[in-house]
């Protein structure tokens, strides 16, 4: 009846365990063994002879025995069986009974379990080795399920963050991250769980048991079994020092870059505010003192000019722009200025000290939730160049000693570029002062109205070489002069000064045509100052005519032609006495003069090229535009005439502009 059984079955008889029966499955597993012989002989090739002792035990006690996953080596092959041995009563007329052997082949299950065990042990050994490695460094180790969520406690994590296992498990670890870093981390982590890269890496800020945040580098790798991800193993490494050093190098490089592009101290300082926000602070202000040398009175309030303000995106935007601020004597700002040292303070957003910042800034700081600040004076060559304030607002960590030190470092690094820029600007101020000292108010001869204007370039960092002059000759004739010296520096301003004074001397020395005066000016300049460059000028001597009217005796050397505007709006450029610019080795025959009658109530305009030149058009277009505008202004007062002509170039031009205009009387005066 055992033949159809799905398991191997055999029956032995007597104390020598003579094989009496085997079913089909038994024969398939162990071979067709001969019946009627003891098992020890039948299974002479079996290595595990100890199993025969179990047969003796069953015969002796009558109690069943089960052996689980026992290895059996038959014909050099190893298989695993679960054996069940049960006693059989003696048959009638026999002294001894027997044993019923039931064998189930569990080789596949055992081998699968062994493979799993080996993998588990291998992974466990790897984890232990990894834990040992982690224990020697500044790492924390963690394990998550295949789809995320921590599944094992991390002693290192609890030690660093103070989170218990109950707080840490699942996605609880997110609570220890900086609020601004939670969403980016979860987005990146979920993408990794879906895409399963060979390694996941991310950097976030972690709250420590001290309540501060430090930067940690997170790395994780998937653990696979049979090609399936069963979990993730990762580490968190404290990289705060590395992060600080990287940030330091980056900020210093950015500061150097913006300073290299700046040409003016205000521009350079304003650019530094762009570096401070948002890297080190949420708000930054740059302030200058009225005195060029940074001098501050030892007592009383201090007035500063805010030249730049930068705020982090997302904060209130109503912060006042450029303006003057009056600071009380006891304020932190004034202390930083007078003591020339950095000041660092922390406070609560609802209790910002009133002397922390200029008054116009306090209300903004309250709305922005400011809670810490630093004020750093910038001192260059003993002079207070500027003052910088920076504030941390909202959820940003308070400005700490490391932030303050870094801010001071890159502001100190800016000293040399700022020194060069300041030196350049001092030179420029000298040149401007020299230039303005030469641009004196024109005389007002009886019956004539003379107006002059000088407009510096709105964009150029240099001093222009434009100049004008007007004076009365010994014979009573008024003279109008305008010129432009090549170059944009103090040397050009000096050349302009020499040329102006020389022109005055030559014009008053003798009465001669303007072309001759310009010829002598050119010769004298090339003889006395051969190293100086080229220049242009236009000279007009105003003379009475025989009929009592006025005429212009003029000469133009490389300069835009004078414009004559009649009271009826007719315009004409005076181009009959033009010659090349000054400073060229052309000889004396090039300088010519011409006489132009001037209409009553008419206007004679001399100007420099900045009034008509644009980089994107031909000068003829500019001349046409000037004539058209001047025609519309023919009957306007002379001051309105000049100011209106300057209005459009002031908004769009790139060069400085000089002009001098003469308005003739309506009738003989």
């Amino acid at each position: 009846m055992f033949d159809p059984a799905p398991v191997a079955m055999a029956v032995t008889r007597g104390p020598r365990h003579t094989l009496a029966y085997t079913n089909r499955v038994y024969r398939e597993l162990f071979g067709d063994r001969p019946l009627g012989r003891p098992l020890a002989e039948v299974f002479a090739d079996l290595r595990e002879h100890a199993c025969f002792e179990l047969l003796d035990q069953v015969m002796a006690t009558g109690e069943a025995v089960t052996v689980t996953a026992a290895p059996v080596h038959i014909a050099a092959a190893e298989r695993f069986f679960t054996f069940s041995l049960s006693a059989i009563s003696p048959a009638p007329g026999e002294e001894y009974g027997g044993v019923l052997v039931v064998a189930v082949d569990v080789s596949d299950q055992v081998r699968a379990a062994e493979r799993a065990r080996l993998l588990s042990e291998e992974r466990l050994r790897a984890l232990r080795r990894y834990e040992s490695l982690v224990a020697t460094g500044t790492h924390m180790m963690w394990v998550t399920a295949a789809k995320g969520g921590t599944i094992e406690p991390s002693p290192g994590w609890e030690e660093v963050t103070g989170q218990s296992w109950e707080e840490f498990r699942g996605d609880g670890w997110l609570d220890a991250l900086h609020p601004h870093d939670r969403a980016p981390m979860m987005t990146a982590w979920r993408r990794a769980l879906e895409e399963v890269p060979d390694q996941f890496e991310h950097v976030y800020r972690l709250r420590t048991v001290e309540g501060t945040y430090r930067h940690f580098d997170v790395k994780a790798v998937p653990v696979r079994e049979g090609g399936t991800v069963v979990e993730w193993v990762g580490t968190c490494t404290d990289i705060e020092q590395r992060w600080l050093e990287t940030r330091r190098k980056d900020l210093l490089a950015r500061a150097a870059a913006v300073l290299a592009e700046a040409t003016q101290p205000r521009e350079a300082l304003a650019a530094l505010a762009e570096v401070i926000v948002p890297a080190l602070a949420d708000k930054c202000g740059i302030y200058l003192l009225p005195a060029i040398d940074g001098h501050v009175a030892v007592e009383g309030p201090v007035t500063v000019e805010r030249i730049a303000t930068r705020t982090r995106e997302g904060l209130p935007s109503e912060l006042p722009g450029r303006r003057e601020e009056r600071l009380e004597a006891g304020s932190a700002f004034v202390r930083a200025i007078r003591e020339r040292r950095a000041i660092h303070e922390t406070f609560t957003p609802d209790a910002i000290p009133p002397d922390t910042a200029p008054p116009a800034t306090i209300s903004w700081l309250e709305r922005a939730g400011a809670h810490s600040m630093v004020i750093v004076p910038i001192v260059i060559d003993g002079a207070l160049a500027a003052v910088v304030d920076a504030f941390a607002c909202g959820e940003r960590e308070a400005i700490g000693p490391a932030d303050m030190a870094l801010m001071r470092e890159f502001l100190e690094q800016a000293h040399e570029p700022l020194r060069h820029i300041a030196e350049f600007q001092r030179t420029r101020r000298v040149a401007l002062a020299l230039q303005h000292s030469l641009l004196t108010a024109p005389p007002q001869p009886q019956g004539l109205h003379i107006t002059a204007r000088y407009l510096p370039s709105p964009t150029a960092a240099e001093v222009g070489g434009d100049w004008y002059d007007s004076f009365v000759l010994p014979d009573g004739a008024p003279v109008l002069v305008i010129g432009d010296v090549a170059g944009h520096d103090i040397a050009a301003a000096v050349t302009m000064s020499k040329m102006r004074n020389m022109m005055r001397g030559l014009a008053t020395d003798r009465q001669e045509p303007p072309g001759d005066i310009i010829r002598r000016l050119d010769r004298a300049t090339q003889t006395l100052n051969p190293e100086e460059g080229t220049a242009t000028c236009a000279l007009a001597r105003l003379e009475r005519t025989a009929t009592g009217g006025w005429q212009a005796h003029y000469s133009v050397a490389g300069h835009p032609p004078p414009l004559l505007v009649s009271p009826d709006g007719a315009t004409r450029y005076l181009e009959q006495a033009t010659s090349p610019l000054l400073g060229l080795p052309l000889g004396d025959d090039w300088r010519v003069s011409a006489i132009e009658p001037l209409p009553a109530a008419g206007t004679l305009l001399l100007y420099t090229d900045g009034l008509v030149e644009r980089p994107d058009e031909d000068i003829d277009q500019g001349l046409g535009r000037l004539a058209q505008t001047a025609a519309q202004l023919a009957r306007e007062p002379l001051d309105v005439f000049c100011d209106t002509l300057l209005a459009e170039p002031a908004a769009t031009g790139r060069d400085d502009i000089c002009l001098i205009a003469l308005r003739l009387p309506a009738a003989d005066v």
Side-chain angles (χ1 to χ4, degrees):
M1 71 178 181
F2 294 146
D3 282 347
V7 295
M9 303 186 71
V11 176
T12 66
R13 293 287 186 180
R16 297 184 63 190
H17 310 299
T18 302
L19 185 61
Y21 168 80
T22 60
N23 70 351
R24 178 183 56 80
V25 177
Y26 193 95
R27 292 190 295 272
E28 290 175 355
L29 291 175
F30 298 102
D32 193 5
R33 304 288 173 163
L35 302 178
R37 297 174 60 182
L39 284 180
E41 296 178 8
V42 172
F43 287 95
D45 56 344
L46 183 66
R47 297 181 186 176
E48 291 77 16
H49 295 285
C51 65
F52 299 138
E53 297 177 358
L54 294 176
L55 295 171
D56 294 338
Q57 178 182 331
V58 172
M59 288 284 290
T61 64
E63 295 179 358
V65 173
T66 299
V67 179
T68 302
V72 176
H73 293 81
I74 303 173
E78 183 181 51
R79 300 183 70 86
F80 295 88
F81 294 89
T82 294
F83 292 100
S84 176
L85 308 179
S86 304
I88 298 176
S89 300
E94 294 185 359
E95 182 180 358
Y96 299 103
V99 176
L100 173 63
V101 180
V102 180
V104 179
D105 188 354
V106 294
S107 299
D108 292 341
Q109 295 90 324
V110 169
R111 291 192 176 98
E114 181 64 12
R115 285 195 299 270
R117 184 187 65 80
L118 292 175
L119 285 173
S120 180
E121 289 184 353
E122 182 179 354
R123 183 172 65 84
L124 187 59
R125 286 195 299 271
L127 290 178
R128 293 292 179 261
R129 288 195 298 269
Y130 201 58
E131 287 175 341
S132 298
L133 179 63
V134 168
T136 63
T138 57
H139 308 278
M140 294 179 289
M141 182 182 158
W142 48 269
V143 181
T144 74
K147 294 301 181 181
T150 53
I151 58 176
E152 292 185 13
S154 173
W157 182 278
E158 183 173 357
E159 181 179 344
V160 170
T161 68
Q163 273 193 325
S164 66
W165 162 235
E166 290 302 320
E167 295 169 327
F168 172 66
R169 70 187 307 167
D171 290 334
W173 53 272
L174 278 170
D175 294 336
L177 271 60
H178 192 284
H180 292 168
D181 295 344
R182 292 170 189 167
M185 172 60 189
M186 278 308 294
T187 299
W189 179 230
R190 286 169 180 160
R191 185 183 305 116
L193 294 176
E194 293 175 2
E195 300 175 0
V196 191
D198 291 336
Q199 177 174 294
F200 167 77
E201 185 169 3
H202 194 79
V203 174
Y204 56 56
R205 287 166 290 178
L206 197 61
R207 186 184 62 245
T208 66
V209 290
E210 292 83 10
T212 60
Y213 287 93
R214 296 178 68 86
H215 287 80
F216 280 76
D217 182 28
V218 183
K219 293 180 180 178
V221 294
V223 178
R224 293 180 171 88
E225 289 185 4
T228 301
V229 176
V230 295
E231 60 190 24
W232 289 76
V233 178
T235 61
C236 288
T237 306
D238 188 329
I239 60 166
E240 183 68 14
Q241 289 305 121
R242 188 176 76 193
W243 184 87
L244 289 173
E245 183 59 22
T246 300
R247 181 183 65 160
R248 171 184 171 276
K249 292 179 179 178
D250 177 64
L251 290 179
L252 293 179
R254 288 173 56 196
V258 298
L259 288 170
E261 297 176 358
T263 57
Q264 301 183 52
R266 288 176 178 241
E267 177 188 349
L269 290 166
L272 289 178
E274 298 281 3
V275 180
I276 293 174
V277 176
L280 295 175
D282 296 310
K283 178 269 178 188
C284 176
I286 309 291
Y287 303 83
L288 296 181
L289 279 79
I292 294 176
D293 59 358
H295 176 74
V296 180
V298 295
E299 295 181 354
V302 174
T303 299
V304 295
E305 178 190 3
R306 181 169 61 238
I307 63 169
T309 301
R310 296 294 179 270
T311 58
R312 175 176 57 80
E313 184 178 354
L315 293 178
S317 58
E318 304 88 38
L319 190 65
R322 179 177 295 186
R323 60 179 293 171
E324 285 193 350
E325 303 272 9
R326 188 175 185 272
L327 309 168
E328 295 304 321
S331 69
F333 214 97
V334 172
R335 292 203 315 274
I337 291 173
R338 288 204 167 112
E339 298 172 15
R340 297 193 176 189
R341 65 178 180 88
I343 290 181
H344 177 221
E345 292 185 1
T346 58
F347 37 82
T348 58
D350 58 349
I352 300 176
D355 64 350
T356 297
T361 307
I362 291 293
S363 62
W364 183 92
L365 293 174
E366 291 172 345
R367 295 195 306 275
H371 52 76
S372 63
M373 67 94 178
V374 61
I375 302 173
V376 182
I378 301 178
V379 180
I380 301 177
D381 295 336
L384 185 61
V387 183
V388 178
D389 71 2
F391 290 83
C393 307
E395 295 180 343
R396 176 191 282 270
E397 268 193 277
I399 296 175
D403 297 324
M404 182 174 171
L406 179 55
M407 194 180 304
R408 293 183 64 178
E409 182 179 3
F410 87 72
L411 289 175
E412 288 172 1
Q413 178 181 280
H415 282 190
E416 193 62 27
L418 287 173
R419 181 180 293 109
H420 291 317
I421 296 171
E423 181 61 31
F424 173 78
Q425 289 300 306
R426 281 193 290 269
T427 302
R428 183 175 184 269
R429 282 195 295 270
V430 171
L432 279 172
L434 176 59
Q435 184 179 39
H436 283 289
S437 71
L438 302 176
L439 304 178
T440 55
Q444 301 296 324
Q446 185 177 4
L448 301 176
H449 184 193
I450 302 174
T451 294
R453 296 285 189 273
Y454 171 71
L455 182 68
S457 166
T459 59
E462 304 89 358
V463 172
D466 293 16
W467 60 283
Y468 66 80
D469 198 8
S470 180
F471 50 91
V472 179
L473 296 176
D475 62 358
V479 173
L480 305 180
V481 186
I482 200 158
D484 189 355
V485 175
H488 292 82
D489 51 22
I490 194 168
V494 171
T495 300
M496 177 183 68
S497 172
K498 293 178 182 178
M499 190 166 289
R500 172 185 179 274
N501 294 332
M502 198 177 299
M503 173 70 83
R504 283 191 163 212
L506 294 173
T508 57
D509 175 58
R510 67 186 73 169
Q511 185 174 344
E512 60 183 351
D516 291 345
I517 296 174
I518 289 178
R519 173 180 53 78
R520 289 198 294 144
L521 174 67
D522 190 16
R523 182 191 302 168
T525 300
Q526 292 192 51
T527 300
L528 299 176
N529 304 294
E531 73 284 353
E532 293 178 355
T534 58
T536 67
C537 75
L539 169 63
R541 170 190 167 97
L542 284 304
E543 303 171 345
R544 281 286 197 174
T545 65
T547 60
W550 291 91
Q551 66 182 17
H553 197 174
Y554 72 95
S555 181
V556 178
H559 201 82
L563 177 63
L564 180 60
V565 184
S566 299
D568 60 0
T571 60
R572 186 161 63 85
Y573 285 104
L574 308 186
E575 300 177 305
Q576 301 302 312
T578 59
S579 61
L581 49 77
L582 307 177
L584 300 178
L586 300 176
D588 296 338
D589 298 335
W590 291 84
R591 307 304 174 189
V592 294
S593 303
I595 295 177
E596 180 71 28
L598 302 177
T603 304
L604 179 65
L605 175 68
L606 280 66
Y607 54 92
T608 55
D609 55 8
L611 188 65
V612 293
E613 282 188 345
R614 289 182 180 176
D616 56 347
E617 68 178 21
D618 186 82
I619 192 173
D620 289 340
Q621 292 178 262
L623 292 171
R625 183 173 53 253
L626 173 61
Q628 182 179 8
T629 305
Q632 298 169 355
L633 300 169
R635 294 185 178 275
E636 295 291 339
L638 191 58
D639 287 333
V640 174
F641 178 92
C642 293
D643 292 339
T644 305
L645 290 181
L646 286 176
E648 193 267 345
T652 62
R654 298 182 180 180
D655 200 1
D656 48 353
I657 302 171
C658 271
L659 62 80
I660 185 166
L662 165 74
R663 175 67 55 83
L664 291 118
D668 187 16
V669 177

